[in-house]
Amino acid sequence: MSPLAEFSTPTSLYDLTFPDLEQELLASGVRPVHARALWRALYRKTATRWEEHAFLPPLRRWVDEATRGRFPLEQPEVVTDLESSDGQTRKFLLRLRDGETVETVIMGYPGRSTACVSTQAGCAMGCTFCATGQAGFARHLRAGEIVAQVLHCQRALKAKGLPGLRNLVLMGMGEPLLNYDSVMTALEIATERGGLNIAPSHVSVSTVGIVPGILRMAQENRPYNLALSLHAATDSERIALIPSSRRWPLKELIAACRTYTITTGRRLFVGWTLIAGKNDAPEQAGQIAELLAGIDAHINLIPLNPTDGYAGETASEEAAQRFKAVLQAAGFPCTLRQRRGIDVAAGCGQLRGR
Ligand code: SAH
Ligand code: SF4
């Protein structure tokens, strides 16, 4: 049996979309109208204990039986809970049922919060500058394990009396588009309006450039933002940073992104991690502009965060500003991101799941 086979069937309540839940109730002889009460308890009240919820008897019986059997209420165990010194970033190391661990981050901004969740335990893409890539791949996460991270963040915010999540970004550990089905199911659950109700326009899927996944998102017209982690504007430079990008040459990748923006009418977000002497020269900014010509793209420049396995350093402030100026002059909206959560290794690319 493959190590994944055990996880390929829905095995927690959080793996079920709302229509799935209605189906399960129906199949057990419970009228599907009861699904709404259970969904509210799960995702509005973020229930952890059933005793506190007044369900009508048929639903109560189903929940008691289901949660003891096929559909337990899966709570990851919190191994560590670290807050950055400025109090704006909080990182959890969560242990899943089989012992694998993943990291989940809450980023606080004035009046709103963003959850940054993992989609795989580890990552197979091997980006040299990313701690997750340096550690390798363990397994895909089930939809329920992705949803459980979002719920964990929601509960943590509530416990502090803070407003619930507004944004959700799939920028934790793993490559979301290599775990497409679980990711899309999890997003359907997180955006369901009677539940967690995160607006689809406040959800971002970040990919290192899995061409079939990008085309599939376009074809299925998924209502989420797409962020492409580009980092290099020539194939040879890109392969040096992202060895597995050999599979899809830039020409093919950018064509897929163009198709995505045309088909969906949505803007493409492009991430560029700035590394001194590698990809921070003004000429390289010019190459980005050529590559993305005619595409509605917003470019986010991300200072390189330190990781144990990579010796590179982030671009200087002057180099970053020069780089940004070239892109803006070429007509691309461009943001230079602030570092955050570095003191607790919760920054982009610092998640190791240990
Ligand atoms: N696998 C996906 C999503 C997770 S990585 C992807 O790569 O897009 C989230 C973001 O962190 C990516 O944009 C990635 O390029 C960036 N990143 C990785 N390592 C980094 C580092 N050391 N410093 C800054 N950003 C990093
Ligand atoms: Fe994987 Fe993204 Fe890290 Fe690359 S940057 S190793 S794709 S998580």
Side-chain angles (χ1 to χ4, degrees), residues 123-127 129-130 132-134 172-175 208 231 242:
C123 183
M125 299 306 289
C127 302
F129 51 88
C130 168
T132 311
Q134 290 156 15
M173 295 164 60
E175 171 45 55
V208 76
H231 313 313
I242 311 169

Side-chain angles (χ1 to χ4, degrees), residues 83 87 90 106 108 113 154-165:
E83 199 164 85
R90 192 167 167 196
I106 302 177
S113 292
Q154 188 77 334
R155 290 190 193 106
L157 291 167
K158 269 195 188 176
K160 285 203 163 186
L162 295 166
L165 290 170

